[in-house]
Amino acid sequence: MKLPRGRLDKSRVVTDPRDTLADVLDRELTGYAVFESQETLLLDGNGRGVITFTDGVPVLVYHTGTDRGGPPALADLAIPGPYHVSLYALDAADLESAHEAADLRVPPGMPAERLGGDPALADSTRRAAPDERLSVADDDAATVEDGTAEQSAVEAFLDDTEKIEAIKQQARSEGRERAQQWDF
């Protein structure tokens, strides 16, 4: 996904992506957020998650490490934080060509539900979404081309053996360091 460089609006570390999604909705930001997880920062992992917004409502999701978009990219982002998040403001016209990529689209409330675990925020996001976005999208089950229901973020995470192995390796490494510190 190619996006024009936006104007940096905010850059900070958050423990919960819900905070960023709520902030973007409250401020009705048009632009995008770049999420970089602790795993990427500490383990030299690959990729960042990018979510675009129009008037605070999520439109597209893309993960640079897995090269997946839409609901599968949300599953790639659904790992424990903290996250370094950078928010960029753009004119709506600058996002028009990117927003034509149907395979990267997500229903308006899905990021709040899958990343933030916040049904109330998802409902607020749906209320803020334009009607045409709600009539096309179904937040309960995004469908893939063959019409089957997409995996939940948790199911997709559990199926990703590389992520699980990376987390195990990080935990082992931290355990060894602590054992040495405590003379075990």
Side-chain angles (χ1 to χ4, degrees):
M1 174 171 69
K2 211 69 156 138
L3 289 174
R5 181 92 173 148
R7 179 184 49 82
L8 181 63
D9 194 53
K10 186 185 279 189
S11 180
R12 64 185 183 143
V13 173
V14 298
T15 56
D16 188 347
R18 182 217 167 280
D19 299 335
T20 299
L21 296 171
D23 181 40
V24 166
L25 182 62
D26 288 344
R27 295 185 312 131
E28 298 179 351
L29 177 79
T30 296
Y32 59 96
V34 178
F35 287 82
E36 194 169 11
S37 73
Q38 172 184 339
E39 178 182 289
T40 301
L41 295 170
L42 297 179
L43 297 178
D44 199 26
N46 292 334
R48 296 177 174 118
V50 178
I51 302 176
T52 67
F53 302 89
T54 299
D55 297 327
V57 177
V59 179
L60 302 178
V61 179
Y62 179 74
H63 193 274
T64 62
T66 61
D67 196 30
R68 298 192 316 170
L74 283 174
D76 296 334
L77 281 171
I79 57 175
Y83 298 86
H84 180 264
V85 180
S86 298
L87 295 178
Y88 295 90
L90 276 173
D91 290 330
D94 293 332
L95 288 171
E96 282 179 10
S97 64
H99 285 177
E100 291 174 5
D103 59 326
L104 304 179
R105 284 184 170 260
V106 291
M110 189 179 279
E113 288 175 336
R114 293 198 179 172
L115 294 180
D118 190 338
L121 178 59
D123 288 341
S124 295
T125 305
R126 285 185 205 97
R127 283 192 298 274
D131 290 337
E132 64 271 7
R133 289 281 319 280
L134 295 175
S135 63
V136 173
D138 176 17
D139 272 335
D140 295 328
T143 56
V144 291
E145 289 176 15
D146 66 0
T148 59
E150 186 67 38
Q151 285 182 311
S152 74
V154 173
E155 290 170 326
F157 174 77
L158 292 174
D159 286 343
D160 191 337
T161 56
E162 288 179 20
K163 280 187 183 176
I164 292 173
E165 189 57 36
I167 291 169
K168 285 180 182 178
Q169 288 176 359
Q170 179 182 5
R172 284 185 198 110
S173 174
E174 289 175 4
R176 281 188 214 101
E177 288 176 22
R178 287 190 183 129
Q180 288 175 348
Q181 289 173 349
W182 296 338
D183 294 326
F184 285 140

